[in-house]
Amino acid sequence: MATLADIGLAAAINILSAFIFLVAFAILRLQPFNDRVYFPKWYLKGLRTDPVHGGAFVRKFVNLDWKSYIRFLNWMPEALKMPEPELVEHAGLDSAVYLRIYLIGLKIFVPIAFLAWAVLVPVNFTSSGLEGAKITNVTSSDIDKLSISNVHERSDRLWGHIIVAYAFTFWTCYVLLKEYEKVAIMRLQFLAAEKRRPDQFTVLVRNIPPDPDESVGELVEHFFLVNHPDHYLTNQVVINANKLAKLVKKKKKLQNWLVYYQNKFERTSKRPEMKTAFLGLWGKKVDAIDHHQTEIQKLSKEIALERERVTTDPKCTMPAAFVSFKSRWGAAVCAQTQQTRNPTLWLTEWAPEPRDAYWPNLAIPYVSLTVRRLIIAVAFFFLTFFFMIPIAFVQSLASIEGIQKAAPWLKPLIDVKFIKSFIQGFLPGLALKLFLIFLPSILMIMSKFEGFSSLSSLERRSASRYYIFNFINVFLGSILTGSAFEQLQSFIHQPANQYPITIGTAIPLKATFFITYIMVDGWAGIAAEILMLKPLIIYHLKNFFLVKTEKDRDEAMDAGSIGFNTGEPRIQLYFLLGLVYASVTPAVLPFIIVFFGLAYVVFRHQIINVYNQEYESGAAFWPDVHFRVVIALIFSQMVLLGLMSTKKAASSTPFLIALPILTIWFHRYCKGRFEPAFVRYPLQEAMMKDTLEKATDPNLNLKGYLQHAYIHPVLKASTENDSSDDEEMLSEKWETESALVPTKRQSRRNTPLPSKMSGVSSPRSLPDGVQHQPEP
């Protein structure tokens, strides 16, 4: 069990690590050749150019202004200067609201910490429950004297914990209520002030029933001209271009290698050679430039054939389409209503914005989504619970007893005081952090397999699973491995009625482990985030080997995005730890406050200067954030309720039962009051925006604006690389694919014609030139 000395050593190590990272960042960001790494967002916006330094040649690479190094922490106040409205305009609402999660942490835990340290810490510390405890086989440390474990059973001091728990609950709910209201207003204001975007007028339609007489495009146009005659504008069917996308990606990779070998040839004046077998390790030796040029030519022909196939083969057309309307009001009505008597057909939802669409999953048949999600649910269940086994194993090795058992010959080294303190105060948190490195990638792959159609929904689902995993394995798993596995011998030699008491007492005793984890992940981890060592290395490798033009240099800047699927669950773990341990072991709270404060400044800097968000969802993730904080609050109340039971506080425990009930009622109120603003678009808002746009831009060619907004990006990219004739042919195919044609279908008699591509007002009956043919 870690002592105060071990915690102090761990804190010193992590503070030193964080300071080293921050100093390294402060120095590296001042160097001219790193400017594109630490300020890529401004370059992408065209508001920043490469630094120009006259004089010595070395000034092109090294900043020789010694005064700038004195102000190495000036990036912190600079990150806080930009006001929130300007931040929303600069980075988007998603990024601005993401930062508010850290602010909520500070708003909740700073007042809670003051109250807990003013009331609970003196109550706990002046008691002597651990010294006179009957369960002497549970190990404890000095820091546990600040926890509820140090309070005697049936003590009147427990009333202090109950009263403070009510104060914590009411304050947390108050902050959550105000933030939910604020974010809902920000979202509605953002949507009202937002510039015109294709997704405002477009609905994604899935599970379109097959028709033997009409193509998908014709069927879609027929359906919406009949059922939305005054508002339907155009449609774009979904094409399965996944194979084409793989070929284009492969071609891009070969082009990068060709640029690399061409640059190498220019530097050395010697034709580079390569082997054609696996990874270039063996096989026939050939000229690298000629080989890649030949392969690219072959691939270009294959891409042209595949592009031709996906644009002509009906099998490549999926039973889904992007349907655009003449107004936002028309799109809102369609997206938020049931289209047919059969609720499983013609399913509509708001279309993601084009850059948010995850095109590979749009090609997945809708009927297979349920099976896919069932498979992933089962897989996630086994991943979560079987992952606890290696976590417990690693945690057992990352302890004094585990190391001595696995490697007895290290005992003399472990007995050294510094090494022993390092192992007990630092190694467990580091081991757990390293063990979870690959988890986000695994969860994202699982989310993609489920078939979600947008990047934002993929990230939200992955974040939800990551949160569940952290809750079960990182939080509950660490408690169980700490209290059940390590205390197994104690459990065997004590009566069964003592088990709840032992577990209830051991939960607050694990606070020392979570303190070390917070320092490793929350302090050193956040400081490492701003250093951006991986993007720094990748940029300079690309810049040296692949960059030939300014366009290449811009592409080498990997600004990246916030990573909601990993960042938000990480924050939620700290909410969980803070709320659970606020009434149990208040010593945890200062470490959590430092995390939220440092993380807020660091991520504000990153959002302003580095991250370039891939999409904009209008803070659609906020209901999930609110719900998870509420879950953490309810769980903290249940933990305190269980601890009071172990303390045999029969007279005071019933007063805690009301807390979960009140919290659930609070959540239901917030869900009914604010959540609709995040899942539905008010028709009133849509009509206001449409009316304003008609007044300010009466000659808008909305059809031309939306016509090709949702063409698969691979088709756009591949078309741009070919001749203008091919481009015109492809455009013509897209334009004529959904044109109405004579049909045998009885329902076509009253379909408005001509087709959407004619540009003429649609009459309500068939023209004379098109005669209805009776069915055979």
Side-chain angles (χ1 to χ4, degrees), residues 550-714:
E550 284 300 316
K551 182 180 178 181
D552 296 334
R553 184 169 286 105
D554 289 340
E555 292 178 353
M557 293 187 302
D558 184 15
S561 59
I562 296 174
F564 179 81
N565 60 309
T566 56
E568 194 269 344
R570 179 191 197 182
I571 304 171
Q572 292 295 343
L573 178 61
Y574 290 99
F575 276 109
L576 177 65
L577 293 175
L579 292 172
V580 167
Y581 281 100
S583 301
V584 175
T585 309
V588 175
L589 293 177
F591 298 91
I592 290 177
I593 291 173
V594 171
F595 160 77
F596 278 112
L598 179 62
Y600 176 72
V601 176
V602 166
F603 277 99
R604 210 172 199 276
H605 172 275
Q606 298 295 82
I607 284 171
I608 292 173
N609 299 299
V610 180
Y611 291 143
N612 191 38
Q613 196 66 6
E614 294 181 87
Y615 59 83
E616 178 57 62
S617 70
F621 56 81
W622 191 258
D624 295 333
V625 174
H626 175 88
F627 176 69
R628 287 167 196 155
V629 177
V630 170
I631 289 295
L633 181 60
I634 293 174
F635 185 78
S636 69
Q637 295 160 356
M638 301 305 294
V639 167
L640 185 60
L641 189 64
L643 284 170
M644 288 298 178
S645 299
T646 64
K647 293 293 184 180
K648 299 179 181 179
S651 60
S652 57
T653 302
F655 287 91
L656 285 173
I657 297 177
L659 281 180
I661 297 174
L662 291 173
T663 306
I664 293 172
W665 175 85
F666 164 77
H667 171 66
R668 289 178 61 87
Y669 168 78
C670 290
K671 184 179 179 68
R673 173 64 180 83
F674 301 114
E675 188 171 315
F678 294 86
V679 296
R680 291 192 292 270
Y681 187 43
L683 295 181
Q684 181 186 30
E685 295 288 332
M687 182 60 74
M688 289 171 57
K689 200 165 179 64
D690 287 333
T691 304
L692 179 63
E693 187 171 71
K694 287 178 182 178
T696 56
D697 195 358
N699 298 321
L700 170 66
N701 181 13
L702 188 60
K703 191 174 188 179
Y705 175 71
L706 297 172
Q707 191 95 49
H708 304 298
Y710 284 95
I711 291 180
H712 197 294
V714 174

Side-chain angles (χ1 to χ4, degrees), residues 482-497:
S483 61
F485 295 164
E486 293 176 5
Q487 312 289 349
L488 183 58
Q489 185 176 1
S490 301
F491 279 29
I492 295 175
H493 293 89
Q494 66 183 18
N497 60 3

Side-chain angles (χ1 to χ4, degrees), residues 185-257:
I185 293 173
M186 290 175 65
R187 173 179 167 83
L188 292 176
Q189 290 176 344
F190 177 79
L191 294 177
E194 195 176 24
K195 296 179 181 178
R196 186 189 310 114
R197 291 193 328 195
D199 55 293
Q200 297 170 353
F201 301 87
T202 307
V203 171
L204 174 60
V205 184
R206 309 186 77 167
N207 211 24
I208 300 171
D211 190 299
D213 300 314
E214 291 185 313
S215 69
V216 174
E218 294 165 350
L219 182 60
V220 169
E221 182 163 352
H222 167 232
F223 180 87
F224 282 95
L225 281 174
V226 170
N227 296 286
H228 298 266
D230 298 326
H231 302 284
Y232 170 74
L233 182 63
T234 183
N235 78 79
Q236 178 59 63
V237 295
V238 173
I239 299 296
N240 184 355
N242 290 350
K243 182 179 178 181
L244 178 61
K246 292 179 181 178
L247 293 174
V248 171
K249 184 178 180 181
K250 183 178 179 181
K251 180 180 177 181
K252 178 65 176 177
K253 184 178 180 182
L254 290 174
Q255 288 173 332
N256 286 339
W257 278 109

Side-chain angles (χ1 to χ4, degrees), residues 430-445:
L430 180 61
L432 182 58
K433 176 67 176 175
L434 294 176
F435 207 77
L436 299 175
I437 286 178
F438 299 106
L439 180 64
S441 299
I442 296 173
L443 295 179
M444 180 56 73
I445 292 172

Side-chain angles (χ1 to χ4, degrees), residues 126 144 235 257 354 477-478 497 517 530 539 547 602 627 646 742:
T126 56
D144 298 317
N235 78 79
W257 278 109
S478 297
N497 60 3
Y517 181 79
I530 201 170
Y539 169 76
V547 169
V602 166
F627 176 69
T646 64

